[in-house]
Amino acid sequence: MAAGGVGERGVGELSTPTRVQLEKLLASVRVVAVRAHPGGYERGCREGQRCVFGPSWTDDYDGPGGHDGCDTRNNVLNAQLSGVSFRPGTHECVVTAGTLDDPYTGERITFSKADARDIQIDHVYPLAAAWDLGAVHWPLERRVRFANDVDVNLLATAAHVNQAKGDSTASEWLPPARTNHCFYAGKYLTVAVRYDLPVTAADNAVLSDIARSCP
């Protein structure tokens, strides 16, 4: 496993990295003292809003899943749920049912389109944190790709867990299921390395502690 990628796709089986793999990622990631706060972050895309990461779950971007006729949210559900059913006539795009093995809680959740809000899509490396730690200087095209990167930066999870995490980084929030911490550390560091985003010294300390506990 190269330092640039841990846990891509195949979320259902939680491809958990080893201690050695995490240490390679930790050696590759940039570390900064603290999270900067440059201001100007605004996710909303209504009239007058800055829309700094583009419209939520757009299909209009160059990257994994882009321009395939299906929005990013449904692409993530299709990739990460098992036993998926689709709305007829949507060319296997709109997911109407399936089962999620939640990567943050370890619980099994039944998904139904009627209760779609029960499962949300999390940015492993939060958008607001990415903005503060470097994405403020990226061109919009790169930010849109980052926000919709189904390969490394997006995980389906229970709504209450996603909301509890908010824009917290690894030193501020970890998955409730301790057994999934190695998986999460691998995902977080993979995103950071892939997009040349730093982790804070506090994040680095937490992620290093996790690595030492991994097989």
Side-chain angles (χ1 to χ4, degrees):
M1 177 79 66
V6 168
E8 297 179 23
R9 292 290 192 181
V11 171
E13 66 270 12
L14 288 187
S15 179
T16 302
T18 65
R19 175 183 58 80
V20 171
Q21 289 169 340
L22 286 178
E23 287 175 347
K24 288 181 179 179
L25 287 165
L26 285 162
S28 300
V29 75
R30 290 188 297 117
V31 180
V32 297
V34 295
R35 176 175 170 176
H37 292 283
Y41 173 75
E42 191 170 28
R43 177 66 168 131
C45 293
R46 295 177 182 174
E47 185 176 355
Q49 295 180 317
R50 299 191 67 211
C51 194
V52 297
F53 282 92
S56 296
W57 313 136
T58 181
D59 185 43
D60 186 17
Y61 70 98
D62 294 324
H67 302 297
D68 67 352
C70 191
D71 65 90
T72 299
R73 175 180 164 84
N74 277 294
N75 278 338
V76 174
L77 293 175
N78 183 18
Q80 298 180 13
L81 272 61
S82 60
V84 172
S85 298
F86 300 96
R87 179 181 293 165
T90 63
H91 303 286
E92 294 193 347
C93 172
V94 178
V95 176
T96 58
T99 301
L100 173 69
D101 289 319
D102 193 321
Y104 290 163
T105 66
E107 298 174 354
R108 180 160 289 186
I109 303 173
T110 299
F111 172 80
S112 168
K113 186 67 173 174
D115 299 310
R117 293 182 181 179
D118 291 348
I119 290 179
Q120 296 181 356
I121 309 301
D122 176 56
H123 291 91
V124 176
Y125 197 118
L127 297 185
W131 176 266
D132 290 346
L133 289 162
V136 60
H137 302 299
W138 294 352
L140 178 60
E141 179 180 300
R142 181 172 174 83
R143 294 199 298 265
V144 171
R145 179 185 174 118
F146 177 83
N148 293 278
D149 192 330
V150 298
D151 277 353
V152 298
N153 197 31
L154 299 177
L155 289 176
T157 187
H160 69 91
V161 177
N162 187 45
Q163 291 162 6
K165 179 189 175 189
D167 68 351
S168 299
T169 61
S171 61
E172 301 163 323
W173 184 91
L174 291 171
R178 290 184 61 86
T179 53
N180 292 352
H181 283 188
C182 294
F183 166 78
Y184 183 71
K187 292 289 288 185
Y188 196 95
L189 286 165
T190 294
V191 181
V193 170
R194 178 71 55 88
Y195 284 89
D196 191 28
L197 286 166
V199 298
T200 66
D203 294 335
N204 187 63
V206 168
L207 293 166
S208 296
D209 282 346
I210 292 172
R212 284 191 285 271
S213 72
C214 297

